[in-house]
Amino acid sequence: MIRIHNYFVYILECADKSYYVGVTNDLETRLIQHNDGENDLAYTFTRRPVILKYYHRFDRIEDAIDFEKQVKGWSRKKKEALFEENWNEIIRLSNYKNK
C-alpha cells in the first residue's frame, strides 16, 4: 500500500528582505516556530518576523528535498517569479547567469 504524505517546500521573506527556503511536513507549525524564534542558531532568528511567500506540496520527501536544493540556488528574481508561478520568466532567467 502506498502512503501519501504531505511535505512542503516553502520560501519565507525575512524582515531584512532576504529569502529563506526550507522543507517541512507541517507548514503551519514550522511558520510559527520561525516567528517564535525557537532556534537561536537559525537563519531566521535575527530576521523576524518572517512572511510566507510561497509553498509547494509534495507526496515524497525526496522530491521535496530535491526541489528545495534547486530553489536555494536560484537568484532572487527567479524566486520572485516563482511566487507568481511565472514559468516563462523562470525559464528566461534560467538561460542567463546571475539574473
Side-chain angles (χ1 to χ4, degrees):
M1 174 182 232
I2 297 175
R3 294 179 98 184
I4 302 296
H5 295 280
N6 288 316
Y7 300 100
F8 301 90
V9 172
Y10 61 95
I11 303 176
L12 305 176
E13 182 179 41
C14 300
D16 66 358
K17 301 300 181 193
S18 64
Y19 293 129
Y20 174 84
V21 181
V23 64
T24 186
N25 65 349
D26 186 341
L27 187 58
E28 186 175 333
T29 298
R30 191 68 185 113
L31 184 58
I32 291 167
Q33 291 170 338
H34 278 291
N35 273 316
D36 285 351
E38 290 189 10
N39 180 355
D40 62 353
L41 299 176
Y43 177 84
T44 57
F45 184 80
T46 60
R47 295 170 172 88
R48 295 174 287 150
V50 298
I51 299 167
L52 181 65
K53 296 295 283 187
Y54 175 84
Y55 70 92
H56 186 81
R57 192 190 72 77
F58 294 85
D59 294 330
R60 296 175 358 112
I61 187 62
E62 297 85 1
D63 296 334
I65 291 170
D66 287 346
F67 188 64
E68 176 198 25
K69 288 178 182 177
Q70 180 181 19
V71 172
K72 279 185 174 184
W74 287 4
S75 68
R76 181 177 187 84
K77 287 181 182 181
K78 201 168 174 182
K79 288 173 186 164
E80 290 171 347
L82 181 63
F83 300 161
E84 298 175 12
E85 296 185 346
N86 185 342
W87 303 110
N88 290 331
E89 182 67 1
I90 291 169
I91 291 167
R92 187 187 76 75
L93 292 169
S94 295
N95 292 322
Y96 298 98
K97 280 195 165 196
N98 303 319
K99 294 286 178 179

